[in-house]
Amino acid sequence: MPNETPFATVSRIMLDRWLATGAENAVEPSVVFAPVLDQLSIKIRLTVFRVNGDDPLQWEMKAIRQSGFTSRVLNINQLFADCRIGDFKDRRYMEDAVIPRLREVVRSQQPRMELVKTKLMGLSLGYDRILLPQKNSKGSEWIISSSYARFLLTRPRHDANLDVEDEAITQLLIEGATAKEIAATLGLSHRTVEHRLSRLKDRMGARNTVHLVAMLMATHLDRSGD
C-alpha cells in the first residue's frame, strides 16, 4: 500500500495471516510471523510470549528479532533478553504496560494495536505495538508482540511534576523539535501539544516557548553534574 509505514506493513501481513488461522486447528506462532522476518526494520522488535498457566509472571518471553534501536542510557536488547516475565528487571513496567494487555488478548483471543506511552527503568518510553494471541479452543498458548520504537527519553532535570507525555514533550522541545514534529512523534494532536506547552509555560513562569526552552536547558545543564 502507498505511504504505508514499515510497521504498518508488518502488522497488516501478520494480521492477515492470523485471520487465516482457526481455533480448532491451533498453529505455532511462526505460521503468523514467518512472512515478515525479512521486512523488519531496525526499530521493530518481534517477541513471542509463551502462556504457561494462569500466572503471567510465569509466562516466558523470547525475542524472535531484536531491535536495532539504541540508547546511550539503556541497553534495550540486554534488558529484553529471553526470560520469564517475573524475572524482568523492571516489574512495574511489566505490571503497568504489558501484563494487563497480555491478559486481555488471551481472554478475548482478539488482536490489539496501540500506541504505548509508559516508563521503563525510570525513562519515558513510547512505541507502537500489535499483540496477536493464538486462536485456540483450549486457550491461547502464545502471544506474538511486535513493537516499533518511537522514543526513549531521559527524565528532564527540573522539579516540575510531569507525566510521561509532558516529559517527552519537554525533552523533544530541548532537542529542537517543533510542536508539529512533537505531535507526530508522540501520536498527539497539534492542539494537544500546544495546550500542554502553554500549561508548562504557566507552571515554569516562561513568557514564551523560546523562554521555556532556555529555562529547561539551563536547569538541565545546572544539574548535569549531580
Side-chain angles (χ1 to χ4, degrees):
M1 293 185 179
N3 301 321
E4 192 173 57
T5 67
F7 184 71
T9 299
V10 165
S11 298
R12 175 175 54 80
I13 292 172
M14 288 200 299
L15 185 57
D16 287 346
R17 296 280 291 196
W18 180 87
L19 288 170
T21 66
E24 298 303 323
N25 185 25
V27 301
E28 282 298 296
S30 57
V31 172
V32 176
F33 67 67
V36 304
L37 289 179
D38 62 350
Q39 299 189 50
L40 300 178
S41 74
I42 193 170
K43 296 179 71 174
I44 299 178
R45 285 182 54 85
L46 185 63
T47 303
V48 171
F49 290 89
R50 289 288 178 177
V51 179
N52 306 318
D54 296 328
D55 183 1
L57 296 179
Q58 301 301 319
W59 298 355
E60 298 177 353
M61 63 179 191
K62 178 177 178 57
I64 304 302
R65 183 66 58 82
Q66 293 277 24
S67 169
F69 180 62
T70 60
S71 166
R72 291 173 295 178
V73 295
L74 194 64
N75 187 324
I76 294 293
N77 290 335
Q78 184 180 67
L79 182 62
F80 283 90
D82 299 349
C83 68
R84 292 185 315 118
I85 289 179
D87 294 331
F88 190 77
K89 290 183 179 180
D90 189 341
R91 177 73 70 85
R92 177 171 292 183
Y93 163 75
M94 282 292 176
E95 292 176 344
D96 291 347
V98 179
I99 290 175
R101 295 296 183 256
L102 296 183
R103 283 186 179 276
E104 179 183 322
V105 298
V106 164
R107 176 187 56 78
S108 66
Q109 291 196 10
Q110 293 297 315
R112 182 180 180 92
M113 296 184 67
E114 60 189 336
L115 170 59
V116 180
K117 286 175 280 192
T118 185
K119 295 279 191 179
L120 177 65
M121 305 299 286
L123 307 180
S124 296
L125 172 68
Y127 56 92
D128 294 306
R129 176 172 66 192
I130 182 171
L131 297 173
L132 296 167
Q134 181 192 40
K135 292 182 187 177
N136 191 340
S137 58
K138 298 179 181 179
S140 297
E141 297 178 347
W142 52 257
I143 305 162
I144 296 171
S145 174
S146 185
S147 58
Y148 177 81
R150 289 205 185 198
F151 63 86
L152 177 64
L153 304 171
T154 57
R155 181 184 296 275
R157 296 177 179 270
H158 53 75
D159 295 328
N161 184 22
L162 306 180
D163 61 20
V164 171
E165 286 182 345
D166 280 344
E167 287 186 4
I169 287 170
T170 58
Q171 184 68 35
L172 291 169
L173 196 65
I174 289 173
E175 294 174 2
T178 65
K180 184 176 181 180
E181 290 168 340
I182 292 171
T185 299
L186 302 183
L188 301 173
S189 70
H190 184 266
R191 183 174 181 179
T192 296
V193 172
E194 292 285 5
H195 173 73
R196 284 180 173 266
L197 286 174
S198 177
R199 189 172 61 183
L200 285 167
K201 282 183 279 189
D202 290 342
R203 186 181 303 176
M204 298 192 69
R207 295 187 298 275
N208 51 48
T209 302
V210 174
H211 189 202
L212 176 62
V213 172
M215 293 175 71
L216 291 171
M217 290 184 69
T219 307
H220 184 94
L221 290 172
D222 285 345
R223 298 192 178 182
S224 61
D226 291 356

